Amino acid sequence: RLNLIKKLRATPRSSSMTRYLISQVAQLTQMSRDTLRFYEKKGLIQPPLRGDNGYRYYSEQSIKRLTFIQHCRALDMSLMEIQTLLDLEQQPNANCSAVNQLIQQHLTELDQKIEALNALHQQLQKLNQSCQVPNTINHCQILKILEQ
């Protein structure tokens, strides 16, 4: 009975909202515990409630926010871009042109990365074509070009 009382005290007393331990959130979001703590430290998610036992208790809202962050990261958005979007989200009646502008800027940066990757791809293809004949390392054309 004493253990049951300790468990009840350790759990936040909000019966209307479901709370999740960090291990549960990590499993639900497929993020590591370190990642969850990192996002908390960076201010991207609200600090979770702490029980008397020191455990973190996350809300449904935290899980929704983490899913949002996860989607943004999948689009290769920076933490600063994500923070900007989260800040804009707090202004529900504002014009969404700032969101569109952020996405347009991200697209421009992505186009530049694609160009750089295409150039890298061409360089690697050129290197690969320089060594079409099996040879010894001592006579490897790729290594000779890289040494120049």
Side-chain angles (χ1 to χ4, degrees):
R1 182 171 163 101
L2 186 58
N3 286 337
L4 178 61
I5 293 170
K6 284 182 181 178
K7 284 182 183 178
L8 289 174
R9 277 194 205 135
T11 305
R13 290 178 176 81
S14 176
S15 60
S16 64
M17 296 200 309
T18 304
R19 299 288 178 189
Y20 301 89
L21 292 169
I22 194 167
S23 60
Q24 294 170 312
V25 175
Q27 186 176 11
L28 284 169
T29 62
Q30 297 183 349
M31 293 180 185
S32 71
R33 293 173 188 192
D34 288 340
T35 299
L36 297 173
R37 289 184 196 105
F38 175 78
Y39 288 149
E40 179 187 340
K41 182 179 174 184
K42 291 294 182 181
L44 294 175
I45 61 172
Q46 293 290 329
L49 294 176
R50 294 275 186 157
D52 294 341
N53 57 9
Y55 289 177
R56 290 171 163 90
Y57 290 96
Y58 293 86
S59 66
E60 291 280 346
Q61 184 59 37
S62 293
I63 293 173
K64 287 179 184 178
R65 169 81 51 107
L66 287 163
T67 301
F68 180 89
I69 293 167
Q70 201 169 33
H71 289 155
C72 290
R73 294 298 293 145
L75 294 171
D76 198 35
M77 290 187 185
S78 69
L79 294 180
M80 189 183 317
E81 289 171 321
I82 295 169
Q83 184 63 61
T84 299
L85 289 174
L86 292 171
D87 291 344
L88 290 168
E89 192 177 45
Q90 298 304 309
Q91 305 166 29
N93 295 322
N95 188 312
C96 70
S97 62
V99 174
N100 199 27
Q101 185 178 8
L102 185 141
I103 296 300
Q104 185 59 50
Q105 178 62 35
H106 191 68
L107 277 168
T108 300
E109 292 169 8
L110 184 61
D111 288 340
Q112 292 168 352
K113 287 179 185 179
I114 290 170
E115 284 181 35
L117 286 171
N118 283 332
L120 177 61
H121 185 264
Q122 289 174 357
Q123 289 174 336
L124 288 170
Q125 279 184 322
K126 190 174 180 180
L127 271 177
N128 190 43
Q129 291 169 357
S130 71
C131 190
Q132 294 297 316
V133 181
N135 218 332
T136 64
I137 293 293
N138 194 35
H139 295 98
C140 178
Q141 292 303 306
I142 293 174
L143 294 176
K144 289 187 184 298
I145 291 170
L146 291 173
E147 289 174 349
Q148 295 177 356

